[in-house]
Amino acid sequence: MLLFFIVGLLVHFVFFASIFDIYFTSPLVHGMTPQFTPLPPPARRLVLIVADGLRADALYELDEIGNPRAPFIRNIIMHEGSWGISHTRVPTESRPGHVALIAGFYEDVSAVAKGWKENPVEFDSLINESKYTWSWGSPDILSMFAKGATGDHVFTYSYDANEEDFGARDVTKLDTWVFDKVKEFFHAARNSQSLFSKLKEEKIVFFLHLLGIDTNGHAHRPSSREYKDNIKLVDEGIKEIASLIKEFYGNDEKTAFILTSDHGMTDWGSHGAGHPSETFTPFVTWGAGIKYPQKVSAQQFDDTLLQESKLEYWKRRDVNQADIAPLMASLIGVPFPLNSLGILPVDYLNNTDVFKAESMFTNAIQILEQFKVKMTQKKEVTLPFLFTPFQLLSDSKQLNILRKARSYIKQKKYDEAVSLCKELIHLALEGLSYYHTYDRFFLGITVVLGFVGWASYASLLIIKSHSNLTRGVSKEVKKPSHLLPCSFVAIGVLIAFFLLIQGYPWTYYVYCVLPVPIWYAVLREYQLIQDLVTSLLTFPPSHFVGYLLACTLGIEVLVLSFFYRYMLTAGLIVFAGWPFITQLWTRAKGISLSWIFFCLLLAVFPLMPVVGRKPDIFLVMGAGLLVLLLSLFVVTSLIKRKDSFVNEELLLHLLQMLSTVLSMCVVYGTHNSLLKKQGLPLTNQIVSWIILASSFIMPLLSPTMLFERLVSILLSSMSTYLLLSTGYEALFPLVLSCLMFVWIHMEQETLQLSGVSCKQKVTSIQFTCNTDITQFRQLCLDDTRRAFFLVFFLVTAFFGTGNIASINSFDLASVYCFLTIFSPYMMGALMMWKILIPFVLVMCAFEAVQLTTQLSSKSLFLMVLVISDIMALHFFFLVKDYGSWLDIGTSISHYVIVMSMTIFLVFLNGLAQLLTTKKLKLCGKPKSHLI
């Protein structure tokens, strides 16, 4: 069985990784020739200012008394330059946002997981193409482009990473640091001949990365005074820098300025998904080569930004984030970044029509070069008779469009040339997408075959090992046929040869060959399949259809709960009616009433708003008090008992109570300290980490009696969970655990109803590593319900705490008791543990259910894996890489969550067994059984 779990784990890792090969591989190609406009550029230098985490509405809107929040930028919009919205893409994180801005392409989603500081793939950028670039700001962002650049023409100045502290008294210092350093730099340039001569060159870039707004947004929310004041500070800083640069260059009118942001931010201070508050970023540009403001009588947009910001009469020009890179390249006359997929927004250019047409023509050739390389690459690894070229952009059509565009430019039909180049760009982008997704259908089919085969094999294994179906089967051993294994070996060799001659990457071998051994294992059990079919034919058709419908409905409710959290509420209300469907109501009224009460109480949580949107420290305190009341009840019951180990247990529970009290004090103290902008107190931080570490050890010191051990696990988990909570979610594990305790009793009562005698009461059952194998019984149909209950409770454990299937639902404020300095991996690990705590509580209760119902953990676990795999197959088909960015981000999240759940189940099962069965003994304590 161990081999099965190891193989199962590897298979699921392959399925999990497959979407990144099928949907989200790197779009980059190499080997193109640099392209630049042959005419002199309007600007000699560019100043790029990126205000990290700045929302468009926050910059453009008026303040409470009707004055502009950013008066200098407002003045630019009305008198000097052009403005609009830069539409970003998922994931709305700093790294992909800056890559889109400066390199002109959208990184695949998997790049976020490959590191913030290193480039997962090499790419060209505006900074690389510039003659010199000076940049100031965050070390995370600046190092990324410095490492990607060739030569020694990129100079970076960054502060220490520890300065990025969400709990600091004043994080606007991150922005004032940048402005001060830029001022010092230009002052020093007057006294340094070598630096002065470099600054007088053309094709140079000044890049200012401002992190204060993002940090304030995470710490205080975008609606806060701190966030809004930071915008004012940035506005004043930009005004000073613009004035300084103009003065330095003697007002030569050869400087172009661009202000934008890498991403926005939700109302609750997070980003990563596709909500308009995250994807709408400001774009303001002025100076050399930029159009002056244009007044209009009316303009139509789908949002309310124009009305709210009182800018409805000033021409708004929206761009996609990747379009900014070709615009910057065009302004200073450097080659367009080789990997850029942006379309030059000619509406922003204040230049001759011939310059616009030539720039657009250069843009078209630069994107067409990528299309040609992509097509050649695909052609080289595909057999000639299997290769299907992109019909809409054949070689002859490419030449025809280019000739016609060049002819229009010669005839001075510039508008026609621009529109023709745009048509070519759109066709080339469509063709790039076609070749990029060329193998998607083929890979999708192989992964689906693997999925279905694995679920079938797991189902057959359940029937073979844990049911009565094979009892009536003849035990006559047939001589094994060599035809089946030989056939599958031949199929495997043919597939491998087919992939080899086409030069596919090694991952394709894994996806394509994996279904072969899986289906061999399935078809090897053909005798069992025959018996199963025979058995199902004897089953009453109405019953069979009824069970099938119930199973389908149950799984669809689970799938729908990922889109609509209230489906979990509906499911829990149905669960509350379970005692009335069976005879439990008449047999065990007290337990049934408890079940109904806690089901309905838990049903409230999926209806609550997403965590972090409305933090409430008093709800966290309330949850802590309830935990203390529960602890007092347990301590009282321990004192009443006359047990030999009562002192040891009592001491442990008192320690756990102390841990809860300390957690409450730390949460309250940290909350007040951050409100006063005094940062995270060191004492609180040390206590938080000690509580987290002790929560893994405390349960292992408690007795392995079922009730005592589960209570100990709950109390230890709750002390950590309180530290990671910001509002109502602190109450969730408590209510969930109460329902789990009742579930354990309900399952034992159900078993007695079905006629299976229970040798022990729940209170006397003990967790043990070596369970007596003779106690296990065969599976029955009711066990399918138990497995479904577990999956349902696991899904509730995720969504019930206010999470949504999106990156942006995780609030950084939940880790502020542990650290406030930005550390993505440590913060991610802490938030992951917060998610896992309810999972662990459910899995520990499931261990108890297996014991009380005398069921093999392997059989029930296999059933859970089958249900999870069917759900995963749903989400595999629902993964999108088109449509709105909110849909794309959510579809990826769904698949990742359900696949992670399947993989984590193996680890959670092991962790639950460790927490429930392992017993640590305190060193040096003599073993005594005397009263």
Side-chain angles (χ1 to χ4, degrees), residues 368 371-372 375 379 389-403 435:
L368 186 64
F371 168 79
K372 286 177 178 177
M375 183 178 73
K379 207 170 185 176
F390 182 61
Q391 301 292 346
L392 295 174
L393 195 55
S394 60
D395 291 348
S396 57
K397 185 158 187 180
Q398 291 172 36
L399 283 169
N400 187 33
I401 293 174
L402 288 171
R403 281 199 197 110
Y435 288 119

Side-chain angles (χ1 to χ4, degrees), residues 184-348:
E184 287 171 20
F185 172 79
F186 279 100
H187 180 72
R190 295 184 188 276
N191 304 318
S192 168
Q193 187 57 46
S194 62
L195 180 56
F196 190 82
S197 60
K198 283 178 182 174
L199 288 172
K200 289 295 181 180
E201 295 276 2
E202 58 181 20
K203 300 179 181 178
I204 61 173
V205 175
F206 302 106
F207 172 34
L208 283 67
H209 177 249
L210 308 171
L211 191 62
I213 292 172
D214 183 71
T215 312
N216 261 319
H218 285 307
H220 305 289
R221 310 287 186 269
S223 57
S224 67
R225 174 54 49 206
E226 290 83 358
Y227 186 87
K228 291 170 180 176
D229 285 348
N230 205 154
I231 294 172
K232 284 186 177 178
L233 182 140
V234 164
D235 181 67
E236 288 162 12
I238 293 170
K239 183 181 179 181
E240 289 175 20
I241 296 301
S243 174
L244 174 75
I245 291 172
K246 282 179 182 177
E247 185 191 334
F248 183 86
Y249 287 106
N251 292 310
D252 66 351
E253 303 293 331
K254 287 291 179 181
T255 310
F257 295 87
I258 286 177
L259 168 67
T260 187
S261 177
D262 53 348
H263 56 75
M265 191 171 281
T266 60
D267 292 339
W268 54 99
S270 65
H271 53 83
H275 191 271
S277 61
E278 298 163 270
T279 60
F280 279 33
T281 59
F283 182 64
V284 183
T285 178
W286 68 100
I290 297 296
K291 249 185 194 170
Y292 288 107
Q294 185 183 341
K295 277 206 160 188
V296 288
S297 55
Q299 45 188 334
Q300 290 296 317
F301 286 94
D302 293 335
D303 51 78
T304 57
L305 184 76
L306 287 168
Q307 291 73 32
E308 288 170 2
S309 58
K310 301 281 188 281
L311 289 169
E312 54 262 64
Y313 301 118
W314 304 95
K315 177 76 173 173
R316 169 178 153 186
R317 299 175 173 93
D318 283 13
V319 293
N320 288 321
Q321 196 172 43
D323 299 344
I324 298 170
L327 175 66
M328 294 190 294
S330 172
L331 286 170
I332 58 172
V334 297
F336 286 34
L338 291 174
N339 306 112
S340 171
L341 298 175
I343 303 169
L344 177 67
V346 286
D347 280 355
Y348 272 93

Side-chain angles (χ1 to χ4, degrees), residues 343-392:
I343 303 169
L344 177 67
V346 286
D347 280 355
Y348 272 93
L349 292 174
N350 180 24
N351 213 315
T352 60
D353 288 341
V354 66
F355 181 85
K356 291 177 186 177
E358 284 288 359
S359 297
M360 206 72 214
F361 188 77
T362 304
N363 192 187
I365 291 177
Q366 173 256 325
I367 291 174
L368 186 64
E369 282 272 316
Q370 293 180 74
F371 168 79
K372 286 177 178 177
V373 171
K374 195 85 173 175
M375 183 178 73
T376 307
Q377 284 180 355
K378 191 50 63 184
K379 207 170 185 176
E380 283 172 357
V381 295
T382 310
L383 294 171
F385 64 90
L386 290 175
F387 181 71
T388 312
F390 182 61
Q391 301 292 346
L392 295 174

Side-chain angles (χ1 to χ4, degrees), residues 44-257:
R44 289 175 64 85
R45 66 203 71 90
L46 172 82
V47 181
L48 172 62
I49 304 159
V50 179
D52 206 304
L54 175 59
R55 285 166 52 149
D57 57 351
L59 179 73
Y60 296 139
E61 71 185 3
L62 304 173
D63 63 17
E64 295 77 11
I65 55 173
N67 293 328
R69 178 153 289 122
F72 175 70
I73 295 302
R74 187 86 171 190
N75 183 62
I76 293 290
I77 291 169
M78 291 181 165
H79 301 106
E80 286 188 49
S82 294
W83 76 288
I85 300 292
S86 166
H87 296 272
T88 72
R89 287 198 183 186
V90 170
T92 44
E93 296 289 349
S94 289
R95 184 202 157 86
H98 280 89
V99 169
L101 277 171
I102 298 170
F105 72 93
Y106 302 105
E107 269 191 307
D108 58 292
V109 177
S110 62
V112 176
K114 293 176 184 174
W116 290 64
K117 299 178 178 69
E118 296 297 329
N119 299 330
V121 284
E122 290 305 315
F123 58 84
D124 188 27
S125 71
L126 175 88
I127 287 173
N128 189 40
E129 295 290 355
S130 67
K131 189 153 192 177
Y132 294 109
T133 293
W134 288 271
S135 52
W136 298 265
S138 166
D140 294 340
I141 299 301
L142 303 191
S143 61
M144 181 168 86
F145 294 101
K147 285 178 185 173
T150 53
D152 56 353
H153 65 285
V154 179
F155 308 97
T156 62
Y157 305 90
S158 55
Y159 39 74
D160 188 73
N162 291 332
E163 295 291 323
E164 298 172 21
D165 186 351
F166 297 119
R169 182 182 291 274
D170 182 18
V171 294
T172 57
K173 65 183 179 185
L174 298 175
D175 295 341
T176 51
W177 184 95
V178 171
F179 293 133
D180 290 344
K181 290 295 177 186
V182 174
K183 289 172 194 171
E184 287 171 20
F185 172 79
F186 279 100
H187 180 72
R190 295 184 188 276
N191 304 318
S192 168
Q193 187 57 46
S194 62
L195 180 56
F196 190 82
S197 60
K198 283 178 182 174
L199 288 172
K200 289 295 181 180
E201 295 276 2
E202 58 181 20
K203 300 179 181 178
I204 61 173
V205 175
F206 302 106
F207 172 34
L208 283 67
H209 177 249
L210 308 171
L211 191 62
I213 292 172
D214 183 71
T215 312
N216 261 319
H218 285 307
H220 305 289
R221 310 287 186 269
S223 57
S224 67
R225 174 54 49 206
E226 290 83 358
Y227 186 87
K228 291 170 180 176
D229 285 348
N230 205 154
I231 294 172
K232 284 186 177 178
L233 182 140
V234 164
D235 181 67
E236 288 162 12
I238 293 170
K239 183 181 179 181
E240 289 175 20
I241 296 301
S243 174
L244 174 75
I245 291 172
K246 282 179 182 177
E247 185 191 334
F248 183 86
Y249 287 106
N251 292 310
D252 66 351
E253 303 293 331
K254 287 291 179 181
T255 310
F257 295 87

